[in-house]
Amino acid sequence: MDALQHRIQALHPRAEALCAALRGEAERVFGAEAAAGCTPKTAVFRLERDPASGADSLVGEWQDEHGHRLGMLVLHPDGGCFGEFDLVRMHPHKPGWFVEAVEAWAGAAGAGAAGHGTDAVCADLRLLAAP
């Protein structure tokens, strides 16, 4: 097993938790199909060197049939992670607001609570004022 496959396997539970949070937040507002394709199995992964720490992070991307990015996951070696998945639609309950994407994040594993590096994955919509 090469380094990439080993990292994908080792971080699969964290990637799945991140994807579940992304899907859950999208489904809460737009229904079950809003982010159905947001799973670790449908992402294409690579290792990417973090210039600050010098460590390799696992990066996964979802792309459409034209190769345009639909979303991404970044899983850092310390357990911190971030993900986003494009939704690109008007908010159904907030007139004047456009939902660009859903985002999810968590701090470094075991680093504490109160938003300062908790194991829990949080998610929210990224909103923009409608044009």
Side-chain angles (χ1 to χ4, degrees), residues 24-43:
E25 186 66 13
E27 289 171 11
R28 182 182 67 77
V29 177
F30 295 106
E33 296 303 313
C38 178
T39 71
K41 288 183 178 183
T42 58

Side-chain angles (χ1 to χ4, degrees), residues 57-101:
S57 294
L58 181 65
V59 177
E61 288 188 340
W62 296 282
Q63 296 181 347
D64 68 12
E65 62 276 3
H66 303 292
H68 299 112
R69 190 172 85 183
L70 298 174
M72 67 180 297
L73 300 172
V74 180
L75 299 120
H76 299 291
D78 68 359
C81 57
F82 172 80
E84 65 180 10
F85 195 82
D86 294 345
L87 295 176
V88 190
R89 55 187 82 176
M90 294 301 296
H91 196 292
H93 310 296
K94 294 184 178 184
W97 289 97
F98 176 81
V99 179
E100 183 180 18

